[in-house]
Amino acid sequence: MLKLDEKKIRKGKPIGLPYQGSKKKISKKIVEIIKQNFGTDKPIYDIFGGGGAITAECILNGLEVYYNDLDKDITNAFERVISQDREWIKTLIVSRTEFTEIKAKENKTTDDFLKLLINSFGNAKASYMYNKEISDLKYNLAKEIIEKHDVFSGYKQTETYKRSIEKYKRLQQLQRLQQLERLQQLDEVKATNKSYHDFSDVSGAILYLDPPYEGSNQKGYINSFDSQEFYDWAFEIAKNNIVIISSYSISDERFEAVYSFDKARSTIQCGQSNKAKNEKLFMVKDS
């Protein structure tokens, strides 16, 4: 089993894009587990990088990291956010009408992608985050807070916020995006959009792998993700690298759970909720 001294975890909130399947809630622990068990001298390959939570945490910890995801929309969005300022971030809030118009566009920009992501229910980009009856009210109040009060982290102290009964999830999303500005003062992030097969020649590195759950069709793969083919690949590349896989279960007996996040539950995948499953880290047995 891998060890974790939680007292050494970086202070502050985890950062990354709001993205389905994101490991943002446990990203600080994952990176600290890597540091404490495998050191800080090896490059880290975040091959199924998604919203960039692990990549961002690696950068904040001063680690060399390579950010990759097959979905170019999400990597473009990550690069876009860390290159902009808070005034631009404010423009990502859109009304229900604007959301519908953007969704109907045939050719969407990176900003369009982010607007759908931030303003959608469950960050699924499918439906507006508030129902029709209250959507205008929520939109107008959110706009008033960021324009009149010009705040992100302190919005809960404003009179505008206190007048509302419900929380402002959208402002929470913007606050987290604003935190990504910290990466501008650190390393430049260069994303790639390759299949995991393209990293077969990597040697002497740490590969953090967060693939789609078994049987799912996630993260840009056109066809259903072949988990067994992936496990075969991971087993082989583990001969020359440290390979860590995030999942809640792995059917291949060559792998074993080496750490369990008892308070972290798997997110919704393909319309099915895995509420009873704990997120875990897996490695090749005896590796």
Side-chain angles (χ1 to χ4, degrees), residues 72-97:
K72 194 171 184 178
D73 284 335
I74 194 65
T75 58
N76 285 347
F78 185 85
E79 291 178 314
R80 176 79 166 142
V81 170
I82 65 173
S83 67
Q84 300 299 314
D85 59 21
R86 61 189 293 137
E87 292 304 314
W88 171 82
I89 291 175
K90 293 178 183 180
T91 68
L92 297 179
I93 287 184
V94 298
S95 66
R96 186 184 186 88
T97 299

Side-chain angles (χ1 to χ4, degrees), residues 7 34 116-117 130 163 193 203 216 226 243-244 257 275:
K7 294 180 181 179
I34 291 174
L116 293 179
L117 188 70
Y130 299 123
R163 291 203 308 265
N193 305 107
S203 180
S216 68
D226 190 331
V243 173
I244 304 169
K275 293 182 179 179

Side-chain angles (χ1 to χ4, degrees), residues 192-241:
T192 55
N193 305 107
K194 301 178 180 179
S195 165
Y196 68 84
H197 295 98
D198 295 322
F199 295 89
S200 299
D201 293 333
V202 172
S203 180
I206 298 172
L207 278 68
Y208 170 75
L209 308 171
D210 181 21
Y213 294 140
E214 291 188 32
S216 68
N217 181 17
Q218 298 288 319
K219 300 190 178 183
Y221 285 85
I222 297 174
N223 300 311
S224 181
F225 186 80
D226 190 331
S227 295
Q228 190 55 57
E229 180 182 352
F230 166 75
Y231 296 146
D232 290 341
W233 175 85
F235 181 81
E236 288 301 318
I237 201 168
K239 295 176 180 179
N240 297 309
N241 299 276

